[in-house]
Amino acid sequence: MDSPPREEQEDVESLSPLDSLEEWPPVDAVEEPRPPDPLVEWSTQDYVKEWIRQNSLEERTPPDNLGEWTPHDEAPKETCISSGNQTATCSSTTEFTWRIKNVSRLYVDKLSSNIFELGKDKWRIVIFLGVNEFDSLSVYLEVADYDILPSGWCRRALFSLAIVNQVDCKHSIRKVHADTRKQFKAGVRNWGFKSFMPLSELYDPNRGYLYNDTILVEAQVAAGEAIDRILYASKKETGYVGLKNQGATCYMNSLLQTLYHIPYFREVVYRMPTTLNDEPSTSITMALQNLFYKLQYGEKSVSTKELTKSFGWDTNEAFLQCDVQEFNRALCEKLEEKMKRTVVEGEIRKIFEGHHMSIIECINVDLRSCRMESFYDLQLDVKGCHDVYDSFDKYVAVERLEGDNKYRAEQYGLQDAKKWVLFCDFPPVLQLHLKRFEYDFLRNIMAKINDYYEFPLQLDLDIGNGKYLSPEADRSVRNLYALHSVLVHRGDVHGGHYYAIIRPALSTRWYKFDDEHVTKENMRTALEELYGGEEELIIPGIINATFKPTRNSNAYMLVYVRESDMDKIMCSNDEKDIAEYLRERPKREQEKKEHQKKEKEDEHLYTIVKVACDDDFEEQIGRNLFLDLVDHDKVKSFRVLKSAPFSVFKEEVAKTSGVPVQLQRFWRWAKRKNGTYRPAQPLTHMEETKTIEQLMEVPREVKAAELKLFLEVELGLDNEPIPLPNKTEDDILLFFKVYDPETEDLRYAGKLYVNGIGTPADILTKLNEMAGYAPDEEIKLYKEIKIEPTVMCECINMKFTFKASQLVDGDIVCFQKSLSVETSELFDYPDVPTFLEYQHNLQEIQVHFRSLEKQEDEEFRLQLSRLDTYDEVVRRVARHLGVNDPAKIRLTSQDLHTQLPKPFPVEYHGVDNLIEMLLYDNQIAEILYYEILDKPLSELQGLRTLEITFCRAANNDMHINCLTPQKGSTVGDLLHDLRTKVELSHPNAELRLMKVFMHKIYKIFAADESIESLKNNYGTLRAEEICEEEKSLGPLDCMIRVYHFEAVETEKQMKIQNFGVPFFMVIHENEVLSHVKIRIQKKLNVPDDEFSKWRFAVVSDGRVEYLQDSEILFSSFQNSGSNISCERYLGLEHLSLVKTQASYIPELDLLAHQPKFKHYRRSYEKPMRLISKKI
């Protein structure tokens, strides 16, 4: 088969993609692009919108002949669109068609198109014909002149690649690459699709992709310059530096940049009193001064770790996003506290504090109440407002207090009244928080409001002849403000990102402060695109449709500076005005970092050698150590070069210990299978010729981080080192401890070489000498085997040889005087095993305590004895927590497999000691969970804790009650107890208890049923008054269940979803639906306009039968076989739930006012999860 003409395939390479895997890694294939923020799901429209926004592409009208293809090659059609975006000089688009002829005569697997240009860049298309595991066509866009690109070259591109159907263009296969995170830059020359289409379809002549032995490949490319975040230098490009993100601190970084770029605030921080000895990690003031100085004079992005440490935060809190407004208030409060009784006291108030007057005026009586309040920031409504002025109008609008919301006047009782707010004065720096987040009661979730909302560059709060000002306000002050900065939130309520758009000098130049990166921004990006709302996108060729995606990047906080105060607020900060120690601190920190860096760079060259000797054993055993030989953390350590010969190390030991090199013998320590560390074997002459690093490499073992050695030294009569004895194969080195049961004293006696085939009788005289006993004293020997999790110490048979007793080098032998049975009874611990067990149990262990209810709270640690009882442990915990009654502390052990609390608490007096609480599967845990109870644990163990929601029949009020009945109680006893805790509509009201699960009534409990059947693991327990109508239920009456529901369409079927609070209803034999609806509306107190949107239906087994007002309900429920219909229910469908998303659900409104549900309604917005962070 002949090759195609050279002129048509001049860049075809006879190279399989398998030969160039580095150029074509599988990771380059783009099958399903992901959104830039992994916490936010993006559609294709979102990708397109984001790319257009980042590259400032204008909308274009698609060509008339879109989708029609000519049989000849097309030249590239290029459009260059100028942009005001300072990060890109030009954003360009082009279209290119590549005709591949004589396909049946191609011998190569990789084909490259001719080069086409886009702006100053050169591109080409590359395809692979089936050399992958999918037997598919692979298509890529590649940078053609990749090898000669200048340093720092980086492009982001939105492109589509298509295989054209030459019979019917509607069946062309087109794939879009819209993930702008995947850029073309150094090391990344191509992006594309590994499995574009099956080769079987491509080569099928009936499909239309291969026509006249020709394939048409179409590319549309839009590309613009991008910032390579690795190479980008913010200081060089903008003159400013960013702040490093610790994990989820973008909200803090944005606010800190905003505050820093208010020069007067910066000056106040610099003037706060600090000293040279203040540490930034413990002083908020010093940390903030240090951070501001580095932002002003540093060259690289600045870490905020010192600042967050000064707040008392740990690493976990740095990964939890907080609300900007809450953080701002907490920071300012803390700074004001530090400013008291200093030269800068009250300065923050001068910057941010304003005042407004809250006025209440009664309508029917002569009473007026005025109260002045201060504010540091204002929250403005976004929903229902077009701009900031609309929000201020709403803020000062008159509110009517009437009906259930009447004003309680002191001497007049409840009165109809008017309430409104007027401003007494505005601050020099005005902070406006936009309420972009609110609770959606219908969907039971927080939701973000992305509505269109304008904010002006110049804000005039004297507008309308000062309509926002109180009569007492100083009208001589001109409240004209200039926009200084915008804090932006991108994403939704479940996750997102904060950054700031700031114009530091209030000039026309805007900058984007996005954590570490600072870039120049144009006016459109800085303002118009942050208004929110929808935008219309038309992408020619790539996506032939018009989209109106919602902008999820919008303003969350606005900062304005009053123009009359601009000279003061935007003052200059000179370095000479900053304390000298503040200026010197960064230099010292840099020197320290360089020193640490040098040490770290050299760290891999060094290691630690720990050397233990007889002196260490003698010093530690019997004092702070009873088990094993030594604590290696308390012995002499040497920092030595790994490459150093061991002989050099021996000389260093000789200098420090005074033991000559020739009188030293070193032993390795080894970890045995039972977990103990013992000297295992002496170093040979060959080993001593090696380097330290070579000695650390033990065959079949993980390389240790440090080298542990035992230095054997033999002392003469004058206590001076003497030559060491020769060790033969039969010799065993043993270490001896001697125990005195009378004084309960254990001490180190020394070491001996014994012959393996000898017996203990051979060394009795020597041992008595070492212990100071008489030469013929009868002694008893024990072998110390292991200590964890329990002590193992066995008696040595005096008749067995040392080898028969399985004694080896490094073993520990304890001995004591032999005692008669009568003498043994005189001592608490008459022998070595009992004494070692006692000491083992006496050892204090460090236990970590965590709150069971709030496991994210900071834990604390206590040193406790293994033998501490339950009462002793809770007494120590109560003392630490400041709880007066230790009996109210309950403990729960940890499951070591799941690293979570066990499902049941530790049984009170069910364990003997602490070690039993911690022991799990022969392992000892380090964590116990605690909770603080309302009653002593001894009482509570005989009780059950049940949470009952009580509903009054009169007004549907709901309250949460926590009851603790005795475990043997009945449901009747429980309801009797509940009567004493709730307000009944009348004294003789009867109660019933039911289980509500998934917004349905699951079960009604009988009065004589045991409370043991009440499970709290699912659903809720609800008690309610039985209405009088139910008590007189006749044969022609029926009590039915009534549930709220929503019919949701899925791909396969209609799905019923229930919500709200279910209830019972009595219907009568001849009662029509219209009468029942009147009673339901009255019961639920639903407004007419809302109730008219509801539909009524009989729902059974997922089937919905809609009802007419004239239908009689009784016939639909009378076949249930009892007076209460269980299988069917009357469904209330809220049509407005689907159509307007603003349906009124009175039950949810009631629930929102109950204690358990108060967190649904917030006094200010919480876009992210809120935590009570201490600052």
Side-chain angles (χ1 to χ4, degrees):
M1 193 179 294
D2 297 332
S3 298
R6 182 64 181 170
E7 62 270 20
E8 292 188 8
Q9 200 179 347
E10 60 186 27
D11 5 25
V12 169
E13 301 177 33
S14 298
L15 177 66
S16 166
L18 298 178
D19 297 326
S20 56
L21 287 177
E22 292 186 1
E23 296 181 18
W24 300 95
V27 73
D28 287 355
V30 182
E31 297 297 340
E32 296 181 1
R34 293 179 296 172
D37 192 329
L39 297 176
V40 186
E41 293 185 2
W42 279 27
S43 63
T44 302
Q45 300 97 301
D46 295 323
Y47 284 129
V48 173
K49 178 201 73 171
E50 179 66 9
W51 195 94
I52 291 293
R53 188 195 71 75
Q54 293 175 351
N55 290 278
S56 301
L57 289 175
E58 302 293 340
E59 299 174 0
R60 294 188 287 138
T61 305
D64 295 334
N65 63 339
L66 186 64
E68 297 179 1
W69 307 92
T70 58
H72 57 275
D73 288 331
E74 270 189 44
K77 295 179 291 186
E78 180 179 332
T79 305
C80 185
I81 303 166
S82 61
S83 167
N85 191 335
Q86 298 302 314
T87 63
T89 57
C90 181
S91 295
S92 304
T93 63
T94 191
E95 298 178 13
F96 175 73
T97 302
W98 176 24
R99 300 176 70 248
I100 306 174
K101 299 180 180 180
N102 304 318
V103 174
S104 61
R105 291 186 288 163
L106 294 177
Y107 288 105
V108 293
D109 295 319
K110 176 183 177 181
L111 301 176
S112 299
S113 73
N114 291 328
I115 294 175
F116 60 94
E117 294 186 359
L118 181 57
K120 298 180 181 179
D121 303 322
K122 296 179 180 180
W123 306 84
R124 64 184 170 200
I125 305 169
V126 180
I127 68 171
F128 290 98
L129 296 167
V131 285
N132 58 40
E133 62 272 30
F134 306 108
D135 199 23
S136 301
L137 174 70
S138 302
V139 187
Y140 296 86
L141 178 68
E142 182 182 71
V143 181
D145 52 351
Y146 175 81
D147 296 329
I148 59 173
L149 292 175
S151 175
W153 184 93
C154 184
R155 296 291 183 271
R156 68 183 75 197
L158 174 69
F159 63 87
S160 76
L161 299 171
I163 300 296
V164 179
N165 190 303
Q166 300 172 67
V167 176
D168 186 352
C169 65
K170 290 186 296 184
H171 293 100
S172 298
I173 296 178
R174 181 179 302 277
K175 293 191 177 183
V176 179
H177 170 95
D179 190 346
T180 56
R181 294 175 306 163
K182 297 178 177 178
Q183 299 173 343
F184 295 84
K185 57 183 179 180
V188 185
R189 70 193 305 168
N190 49 69
W191 288 105
F193 306 91
K194 185 173 183 179
S195 299
F196 191 89
M197 67 179 295
L199 286 175
S200 57
E201 293 185 11
L202 177 67
Y203 292 138
D204 187 343
N206 298 319
R207 297 273 187 165
Y209 302 109
L210 181 62
Y211 186 78
N212 290 334
D213 209 18
T214 300
I215 296 174
L216 290 182
V217 184
E218 154 71 14
Q220 288 99 22
V221 184
E225 291 185 14
I227 294 174
D228 188 337
R229 288 185 167 239
I230 298 176
L231 301 176
Y232 183 76
S234 296
K235 185 77 171 184
K236 177 182 177 182
E237 299 294 335
T238 65
Y240 300 101
V241 296
L243 293 170
K244 295 179 181 178
N245 193 324
Q246 294 186 47
T249 55
C250 55
Y251 70 94
M252 180 179 70
N253 292 348
S254 303
L255 181 67
L256 289 174
Q257 289 283 15
T258 301
L259 294 175
Y260 164 78
H261 283 100
I262 300 174
Y264 187 70
F265 180 87
R266 189 193 319 159
E267 179 183 300
V268 169
V269 170
Y270 284 148
R271 289 167 55 203
M272 291 178 69
T274 52
T275 67
L276 178 64
N277 297 324
D278 288 346
E279 287 296 326
S281 59
T282 56
S283 167
I284 292 178
T285 305
M286 175 59 78
L288 197 58
Q289 288 177 340
N290 203 31
L291 185 141
F292 278 8
Y293 184 84
K294 290 177 181 178
L295 284 176
Q296 190 167 1
Y297 297 104
E299 296 295 324
K300 297 180 180 179
S301 56
V302 183
S303 171
T304 58
K305 285 186 178 181
E306 285 183 341
L307 183 63
T308 55
K309 281 183 181 178
S310 71
F311 296 161
W313 294 2
D314 57 19
T315 305
N316 292 332
E317 287 175 295
F319 280 86
L320 292 174
Q321 203 167 79
C322 184
D323 178 65
V324 171
Q325 182 188 29
E326 183 184 38
F327 176 76
N328 188 19
R329 289 177 175 177
L331 179 61
C332 288
E333 286 174 6
K334 198 65 179 179
L335 291 176
E336 284 190 302
E337 181 183 322
K338 299 288 185 182
M339 291 177 178
K340 288 181 179 178
R341 296 180 294 278
T342 70
V343 294
V344 289
E345 182 175 7
E347 290 292 345
I348 287 184
R349 288 198 302 273
K350 294 178 183 178
I351 301 173
F352 299 115
E353 187 179 57
H355 300 86
H356 55 58
M357 186 76 70
S358 180
I359 306 163
I360 300 177
E361 185 178 273
C362 292
I363 297 175
N364 300 318
V365 296
D366 186 17
L367 183 66
R368 180 185 174 100
S369 170
C370 298
R371 185 178 73 255
M372 181 181 288
E373 297 175 338
S374 64
F375 64 87
Y376 275 33
D377 52 63
L378 295 174
Q379 291 190 63
L380 300 183
D381 285 333
V382 171
K383 198 166 188 177
C385 299
H386 178 264
D387 56 19
V388 173
Y389 292 111
D390 280 356
S391 297
F392 268 98
D393 290 342
K394 192 173 181 180
Y395 201 96
V396 301
V398 176
E399 178 186 358
R400 303 279 295 193
L401 305 180
E402 55 190 10
D404 294 336
N405 195 30
K406 289 185 177 182
Y407 173 63
R408 184 177 293 278
E410 293 180 1
Q411 63 267 42
Y412 298 106
L414 295 175
Q415 293 289 325
D416 292 337
K418 297 183 295 182
K419 179 182 178 182
W420 69 98
V421 172
L422 289 173
F423 290 92
C424 303
D425 58 73
F426 291 105
V429 178
L430 180 63
Q431 301 179 109
L432 303 178
H433 286 267
L434 308 182
K435 296 168 72 172
R436 287 280 183 189
F437 296 86
E438 68 174 18
Y439 189 78
D440 188 331
F441 286 92
L442 301 178
R443 294 183 291 166
N444 198 29
I445 58 172
M446 288 291 293
K448 183 179 180 183
I449 301 171
N450 291 307
D451 295 357
Y452 184 84
Y453 184 88
E454 290 183 4
F455 46 90
L457 268 175
Q458 191 177 63
L459 177 66
D460 187 358
L461 294 180
D462 291 331
I463 193 173
N465 197 26
K467 61 180 178 179
Y468 305 133
L469 300 174
S470 66
E472 297 80 11
D474 184 359
R475 303 291 174 127
S476 65
V477 177
R478 183 72 173 96
N479 294 302
L480 187 64
Y481 286 84
L483 182 63
H484 172 267
S485 51
V486 183
L487 267 68
V488 183
H489 180 265
R490 183 181 72 228
D492 60 15
V493 70
H494 301 295
H497 178 64
Y498 287 94
Y499 60 89
I501 303 290
I502 304 174
R503 52 172 180 166
L506 289 177
S507 63
T508 57
R509 173 67 68 199
W510 291 85
Y511 297 88
K512 178 180 179 181
F513 293 81
D514 189 354
D515 288 336
E516 296 183 46
H517 300 96
V518 185
T519 55
K520 297 176 183 178
E521 293 291 326
N522 59 46
M523 182 71 71
R524 181 172 180 269
T525 302
L527 298 180
E528 295 177 15
E529 292 193 358
L530 302 181
Y531 290 161
E534 296 179 342
E535 60 180 331
E536 184 174 304
L537 297 176
I538 303 175
I539 310 300
I542 297 176
I543 300 176
N544 187 22
T546 299
F547 297 107
K548 291 187 177 181
T550 300
R551 291 188 175 102
N552 68 353
S553 292
N554 36 51
Y556 181 65
M557 175 179 168
L558 308 174
V559 178
Y560 283 91
V561 177
R562 187 158 52 198
E563 294 187 358
S564 58
D565 295 298
M566 200 172 295
D567 291 341
K568 177 182 178 180
I569 298 300
M570 306 306 291
C571 61
S572 61
N573 301 129
D574 295 326
E575 190 171 10
K576 59 181 176 60
D577 298 326
I578 302 172
E580 183 179 355
Y581 63 85
L582 283 179
R583 302 198 302 267
E584 292 298 323
R585 179 179 289 274
K587 297 177 183 177
R588 295 197 304 271
E589 289 179 354
Q590 185 60 32
E591 292 173 358
K592 184 178 178 181
K593 283 182 180 179
E594 289 176 358
H595 179 70
Q596 291 174 342
K597 181 181 178 182
K598 182 68 169 62
E599 282 192 342
K600 193 170 184 179
E601 289 174 351
D602 296 342
E603 186 177 359
H604 68 286
L605 302 175
Y606 289 84
T607 190
I608 300 296
V609 180
K610 294 183 176 180
V611 179
C613 60
D614 284 312
D615 290 342
D616 296 306
F617 303 158
E618 190 173 344
E619 182 180 342
Q620 294 186 27
I621 294 174
R623 297 181 181 180
N624 50 16
L625 184 78
F626 293 91
L627 305 159
D628 243 329
L629 281 173
V630 73
D631 181 351
H632 288 279
D633 291 335
K634 297 178 180 178
V635 302
K636 180 68 176 177
S637 296
F638 298 83
R639 184 173 182 264
V640 297
L641 278 169
K642 293 179 181 178
S643 58
F646 189 73
S647 58
V648 174
F649 168 71
K650 292 182 69 174
E651 291 175 0
E652 180 66 25
V653 173
K655 291 178 183 178
T656 58
S657 66
V659 179
V661 171
Q662 66 273 17
L663 301 181
Q664 301 173 8
R665 181 187 288 161
F666 286 92
W667 292 63
R668 292 181 186 271
W669 289 82
K671 185 176 182 180
R672 297 181 176 181
K673 291 182 179 179
N674 59 20
T676 59
Y677 274 94
R678 303 289 166 80
Q681 60 186 25
L683 297 181
T684 65
H685 291 295
M686 180 62 69
E687 287 177 316
E688 290 194 0
T689 62
K690 296 181 178 180
T691 63
I692 296 293
E693 186 172 25
Q694 290 170 333
L695 284 176
M696 295 174 67
E697 296 175 351
V698 181
R700 299 182 299 279
E701 290 187 16
V702 178
K703 188 175 181 180
E706 57 190 21
L707 181 61
K708 295 177 181 177
L709 297 174
F710 164 61
L711 173 59
E712 179 189 355
V713 179
E714 194 71 21
L715 298 178
L717 295 177
D718 58 355
N719 233 20
E720 291 295 322
I722 60 175
L724 293 160
N726 293 324
K727 183 181 185 304
T728 66
E729 290 185 2
D730 292 331
D731 289 339
I732 301 172
L733 179 64
L734 299 179
F735 297 89
F736 293 88
K737 302 176 185 177
V738 59
Y739 172 61
D740 183 355
E742 185 175 355
T743 60
E744 295 180 4
D745 176 62
L746 182 76
R747 60 186 174 86
Y748 179 63
K751 63 183 184 299
L752 280 179
Y753 279 102
V754 299
N755 193 301
I757 58 175
T759 64
D762 300 337
I763 61 170
L764 290 182
T765 303
K766 182 62 178 177
L767 292 180
N768 283 330
E769 180 187 340
M770 293 166 64
Y773 298 157
D776 58 349
E777 182 71 49
E778 186 178 347
I779 59 176
K780 200 169 186 178
L781 278 63
Y782 298 89
K783 178 183 178 182
E784 183 182 318
I785 301 173
K786 68 170 188 172
I787 58 177
E788 291 293 352
T790 56
V791 172
M792 182 179 290
C793 186
E794 297 178 348
C795 184
I796 297 175
N797 193 316
M798 303 292 281
K799 297 179 181 179
F800 287 3
T801 66
F802 291 108
K803 284 188 176 180
S805 297
Q806 297 183 345
L807 289 166
V808 296
D809 283 327
D811 273 341
I812 302 172
V813 176
C814 303
F815 66 95
Q816 66 176 89
K817 292 180 180 180
S818 295
L819 303 177
S820 64
V821 175
E822 295 78 9
T823 307
S824 297
E825 292 177 352
L826 300 176
F827 306 121
D828 291 333
Y829 310 104
D831 54 34
V832 171
T834 56
F835 178 75
L836 291 181
E837 183 67 32
Y838 164 70
Q839 290 294 339
H840 180 258
N841 291 331
L842 269 186
Q843 283 183 359
E844 287 195 344
I845 55 177
Q846 191 175 72
V847 183
H848 301 245
F849 288 89
R850 295 177 183 172
S851 170
L852 185 66
E853 295 95 345
K854 301 177 181 179
Q855 295 179 28
E856 70 277 3
D857 284 3
E858 186 175 349
E859 64 180 33
F860 61 89
R861 292 171 287 182
L862 296 176
Q863 290 289 130
L864 301 170
S865 169
R866 295 165 178 259
L867 296 180
D868 280 347
T869 63
Y870 191 100
D871 290 332
E872 289 169 337
V873 173
V874 296
R875 179 177 53 81
R876 292 282 303 278
V877 173
R879 185 193 306 165
H880 180 88
L881 296 174
V883 177
N884 294 327
D885 189 356
K888 294 182 179 180
I889 302 291
R890 181 163 64 185
L891 303 175
T892 301
S893 301
Q894 184 189 40
D895 186 325
L896 287 177
H897 293 318
T898 64
Q899 300 296 310
L900 296 172
K902 288 184 179 179
F904 301 104
V906 177
E907 186 178 353
Y908 182 60
H909 288 171
V911 293
D912 291 332
N913 50 48
L914 174 62
I915 204 66
E916 290 187 20
M917 300 183 218
L918 298 175
L919 199 60
Y920 183 89
D921 197 17
N922 208 30
Q923 298 182 61
I924 296 177
E926 296 181 347
I927 296 172
L928 282 176
Y929 298 87
Y930 69 88
E931 51 187 324
I932 304 173
L933 309 173
D934 296 328
K935 297 183 178 181
L937 186 57
S938 56
E939 295 180 23
L940 195 63
Q941 288 206 156
L943 305 175
R944 275 205 66 185
T945 301
L946 295 171
E947 206 172 66
I948 309 295
T949 302
F950 175 68
C951 180
R952 288 184 59 191
N955 55 10
N956 288 336
D957 281 347
M958 303 188 77
H959 301 274
I960 308 296
N961 299 272
C962 189
L963 303 181
T964 53
Q966 294 288 335
K967 288 186 177 179
S969 303
T970 63
V971 171
D973 298 330
L974 183 70
L975 292 176
H976 179 75
D977 187 19
L978 181 65
R979 295 177 66 89
T980 64
K981 300 180 182 299
V982 299
E983 182 182 351
L984 302 174
S985 58
H986 59 87
N988 298 323
E990 295 183 23
L991 304 181
R992 65 168 162 242
L993 183 69
M994 64 184 72
K995 168 80 79 172
V996 176
F997 181 58
M998 296 184 70
H999 308 285
K1000 294 182 179 181
I1001 299 172
Y1002 178 69
K1003 180 181 179 180
I1004 301 176
F1005 297 97
D1008 59 354
E1009 195 167 347
S1010 171
I1011 64 169
E1012 295 301 315
S1013 64
L1014 307 182
K1015 305 295 183 182
N1016 270 344
N1017 52 348
Y1018 65 90
T1020 57
L1021 295 173
R1022 193 178 96 194
E1024 65 180 15
E1025 295 183 18
I1026 302 175
C1027 65
E1028 295 299 325
E1029 191 176 27
E1030 295 181 30
K1031 298 177 185 177
S1032 57
L1033 203 64
L1036 300 181
D1037 300 324
C1038 181
M1039 189 164 73
I1040 65 173
R1041 288 168 162 83
V1042 185
Y1043 304 156
H1044 301 273
F1045 80 94
E1046 175 188 7
V1048 180
E1049 291 187 14
T1050 63
E1051 294 181 1
K1052 297 182 179 179
Q1053 59 183 4
M1054 182 75 72
K1055 186 178 180 181
I1056 302 299
Q1057 290 183 348
N1058 295 98
F1059 61 90
V1061 180
F1063 59 93
F1064 285 113
M1065 192 81 183
V1066 174
I1067 59 173
H1068 309 296
E1069 182 182 22
N1070 296 318
E1071 189 175 22
V1072 295
L1073 176 62
S1074 58
H1075 292 167
V1076 176
K1077 288 170 66 175
I1078 294 173
R1079 291 198 287 132
I1080 290 177
Q1081 183 178 5
K1082 182 179 179 181
K1083 176 181 177 66
L1084 300 182
N1085 193 26
V1086 186
D1088 291 340
D1089 59 340
E1090 182 64 30
F1091 194 74
S1092 64
K1093 302 173 185 176
W1094 293 10
R1095 287 203 297 179
F1096 288 70
V1098 174
V1099 184
S1100 177
D1101 296 328
R1103 295 190 300 272
V1104 180
E1105 301 174 16
Y1106 291 101
L1107 300 170
Q1108 301 297 324
D1109 284 355
S1110 59
E1111 291 189 51
I1112 297 175
L1113 283 182
F1114 192 82
S1115 59
S1116 299
F1117 292 95
Q1118 64 179 349
N1119 297 326
S1120 60
S1122 68
N1123 281 357
I1124 302 178
S1125 175
C1126 299
E1127 297 179 356
R1128 298 183 172 195
Y1129 65 84
L1130 178 62
L1132 312 182
E1133 182 182 22
H1134 298 221
L1135 292 180
S1136 56
L1137 193 67
V1138 178
K1139 294 181 179 179
T1140 67
Q1141 292 292 304
S1143 180
Y1144 175 75
I1145 305 176
E1147 295 86 348
L1148 287 179
D1149 192 54
L1150 288 169
L1151 285 174
H1153 290 83
Q1154 306 313 313
K1156 186 176 181 180
F1157 303 94
K1158 277 187 176 179
H1159 64 280
Y1160 290 152
R1161 292 193 174 226
R1162 304 185 186 275
S1163 59
Y1164 50 89
E1165 302 306 315
K1166 310 291 182 193
M1168 305 307 300
R1169 177 187 175 191
L1170 278 179
I1171 58 174
S1172 298
K1173 292 188 176 180
K1174 55 183 182 296
I1175 297 182

